Amino acid sequence: MSAAHRKTSAPVLFKQGMRALIGAVNVIAVPDVDGEPGGLTATAVTSLSADPPSLLVCINTNSSIAPVLTLNKAFSVNVLAHGQEDVAGAFGGQKNVRGKARFSYGTWTRSDHDIPLLIGARVNFECAVEDLHTFATHLMVIGRVVEVYISPLPLKPLLYGDGHYLTTG
Ligand SMILES: Cc1cc2nc3c(=O)[nH]c(=O)nc-3n(C[C@H](O)[C@H](O)[C@H](O)COP(=O)(O)O)c2cc1C
């Protein structure tokens, strides 16, 4: 292995290394608690099983929606399209807006179960919380997918890597 490929588990190098992992940008949204919906930007989203349809989302336990996920048992995963960087920024804490005010970025509707869904996303997954596990700083949320809304438009993805928003060529 060359010197350019350092082998270490040190947290700083871990974070630097993770910058090389290009990920799709998503907003995880939760229904109202005390009259306000909530949400945050997350790249830690992956498919888990096709039968039953399920996915895994990793959420910081200090985030505003972590207690809501434990309480409310429902959420949406909104897979962002290129051009929705402002939505990613607002829900990612980069615009100094919190709670309900984040939903003034992008156009939002509600599912039949009152879960916020982002219009113009590549796809919206509506999920029921099936299981929760805590590891270190993060809550691993297993969501059973109850509805899928796929955009009919050929939208490019919004990706994040090397500290920047990106898309495909
Ligand atoms: C591109 C990007 C990806 C992120 N991915 C995650 C993630 O996977 N999980 C997570 O808990 N926070 C993630 N964050 C951080 C949260 O979006 C951010 O801390 C947010 O402000 C938390 O919401 P809160 O302030 O309401 O708690 C990400 C932020 C950005 C900009």
Side-chain angles (χ1 to χ4, degrees), residues 29-72:
V30 294
D32 295 7
V33 169
D34 297 333
E36 284 210 14
L40 59 71
T41 297
T43 46
V45 174
T46 188
S47 124
L48 187 56
S49 74
D51 187 13
S54 57
L55 49 76
L56 173 67
V57 180
C58 301
I59 300 292
N60 194 303
T61 51
N62 286 330
S63 71
S64 57
I65 69 166
V68 185
L69 285 164
T70 311
L71 190 75
N72 245 357

Side-chain angles (χ1 to χ4, degrees), residues 70-90:
T70 311
L71 190 75
N72 245 357
K73 305 284 185 196
F75 64 98
S76 64
V77 176
N78 303 275
V79 180
L80 300 194
H82 180 53
Q84 294 182 316
E85 289 86 340
D86 60 336
V87 180

